[in-house]
Amino acid sequence: AIGNGFSTPADRNSFYHLNQIRRVAKKWLPSYSWLDTTIASFVNIPSTCNAYYDGDVNFYQSGGGCNNTGEIADVVTHEWGHGADLNSRSGDGATGEGTADVVAMHLSHSPLVGPGFHTDGDPVRNLDSSGPRGLLTATNISSICPVIGSLGPLGYEVHCEGEIYGQAAWDLAQALVAKHGYHTGWRTSERIFFTSLHDAGSYLPSVSWPVYTAYMFADDDDGDLANGTPNAQEIFDAFDAHDIAGGQYAATPACTRPAQPVVTVTPGCGTFDLSWDPVAGIDHYEIFRGELRLEQALFPVATLPAGQTAYTDTEVAPGMDYWY
């Protein structure tokens, strides 16, 4: 802990990832007041194999076959996700657990929620329907999920039942990546998910504020849901595969994506100088930066007018890798 005073690995990890996931959400919800509030992170609590949100986030020490939950990125972002859910359109417990898993997924870009939670390296959950649990649907849930503890609206354990929504969200992200390319696909998935939160009350399509309809409204690009949305087919297919889709909407053409500029990066002393050739027919440039790993969520750096083709990034640290 040299240079960090009396902080522990759990202190530092929870602080870092709480701020990382907040940055992802603020890309899409800049006026969401909860994102500007301060929450406390309590770590190394003398219990094991769990974490919880109660207005703050709370993480247990290692033991009982589990690692320290404050040291596991996905557990940190999952618990933060409960706060995002409860401070927007909060619904039933299963939808809340699914929402928190989908929050974690959008930072890691992985279907594994909490890898390393168990000391054998296993995650808490796997949102890939080809994983150990298999395809989970509102129809087959009785043969997969237990009836213990807190129960979801279908009467099954909330984490397991919530995985119906988690799997649908992972399937959608993969379909959007296949359609738009890796970074634009994940950006589209982020946008739909985070902007849907205030309208997303339940993963079931037959109750008030269904997630499926919230996703359609979030994807709509002209204020008229009746005429369809650009990614309506992908949203329907993902939710329908898990028996949680509502009515199908038309898929409308999306705008043509501008050409991707080729960026030249020149390192300086505590800076990176970026430059690129101009791209015709655009309104503005947006610069995004990958930190730690390129395949994870990107963070906004600057928005520039169309006539500007250079930028100096000064918010960088020595010895770190960055991608633009």
Side-chain angles (χ1 to χ4, degrees):
I2 295 173
N4 290 286
F6 295 102
S7 67
T8 68
D11 287 312
R12 298 190 294 275
N13 184 76
S14 63
F15 175 84
Y16 177 79
H17 285 99
L18 287 169
N19 281 286
Q20 291 293 80
I21 193 58
R22 175 179 171 273
R23 291 170 67 196
V24 173
K26 281 188 74 70
K27 285 195 289 185
W28 309 108
L29 302 170
S31 60
Y32 183 12
S33 61
W34 181 75
L35 296 178
D36 294 317
T37 61
T38 299
I39 63 173
S41 175
F42 296 96
V43 300
N44 303 311
I45 296 170
S47 190
T48 61
C49 297
N50 210 342
Y52 62 95
Y53 174 86
D54 61 358
D56 296 311
V57 286
N58 304 267
F59 306 102
Y60 291 177
Q61 64 189 20
S62 60
C66 302
N67 287 307
N68 187 311
T69 55
E71 298 178 15
I72 302 169
D74 282 358
V75 177
V76 174
T77 53
H78 172 98
E79 297 307 330
W80 181 93
H82 281 304
D85 176 57
L86 291 169
N87 286 278
S88 53
R89 176 69 61 181
S90 179
D92 60 83
T95 304
E97 293 297 340
T99 298
D101 281 352
V102 177
V103 164
M105 178 193 87
H106 277 104
L107 182 60
S108 69
H109 292 181
S110 170
L112 304 181
V113 180
F117 181 92
H118 300 284
T119 53
D120 62 4
D122 282 350
V124 181
R125 279 177 292 284
N126 185 342
L127 303 183
D128 191 333
S129 58
S130 65
R133 201 188 296 279
L135 177 69
L136 184 59
T137 74
T139 303
N140 72 6
I141 187 173
S142 62
S143 63
I144 299 174
C145 293
V147 183
I148 57 172
S150 297
L151 305 180
L154 293 181
Y156 299 90
E157 194 276 327
V158 289
H159 296 87
C160 187
E161 186 173 326
E163 199 171 321
I164 298 174
Y165 172 29
Q167 287 190 3
W170 175 255
D171 289 350
L172 175 60
Q174 299 316 291
L176 294 173
V177 165
K179 179 178 181 180
H180 300 293
Y182 187 85
H183 293 298
T184 300
W186 273 109
R187 176 179 169 83
T188 304
S189 182
E190 273 184 24
R191 173 181 58 79
I192 293 171
F193 169 69
F194 282 104
T195 59
S196 77
L197 282 175
H198 287 291
D199 295 320
S202 175
Y203 78 91
L204 291 174
S206 58
V207 300
S208 299
W209 302 100
V211 171
Y212 174 78
T213 303
Y215 271 42
M216 289 296 183
F217 276 115
D219 190 49
D220 183 38
D221 60 354
D222 66 356
D224 183 7
L225 187 60
N227 67 8
T229 81
N231 298 290
Q233 189 65 56
E234 287 76 19
I235 297 171
F236 176 81
D237 289 345
F239 279 70
D240 186 57
H242 300 273
D243 298 332
I244 55 172
Q248 190 166 8
Y249 293 86
T252 59
C255 63
T256 302
R257 187 174 185 269
Q260 180 77 17
V262 177
V263 181
T264 299
V265 183
T266 304
C269 183
T271 65
F272 285 110
D273 293 324
L274 314 178
S275 62
W276 55 92
D277 292 331
V279 177
I282 66 162
D283 177 75
H284 65 278
Y285 295 103
E286 296 181 14
I287 300 176
F288 289 86
R289 183 175 65 210
E291 301 170 4
L292 297 184
R293 295 174 62 189
L294 174 60
E295 63 270 24
Q296 293 190 347
L298 300 176
F299 301 102
V301 174
T303 299
L304 306 175
Q308 184 172 342
T309 58
Y311 180 80
T312 297
D313 187 5
T314 60
E315 296 186 1
V316 293
M320 299 284 291
D321 290 328
Y322 297 95
W323 298 263
Y324 294 90

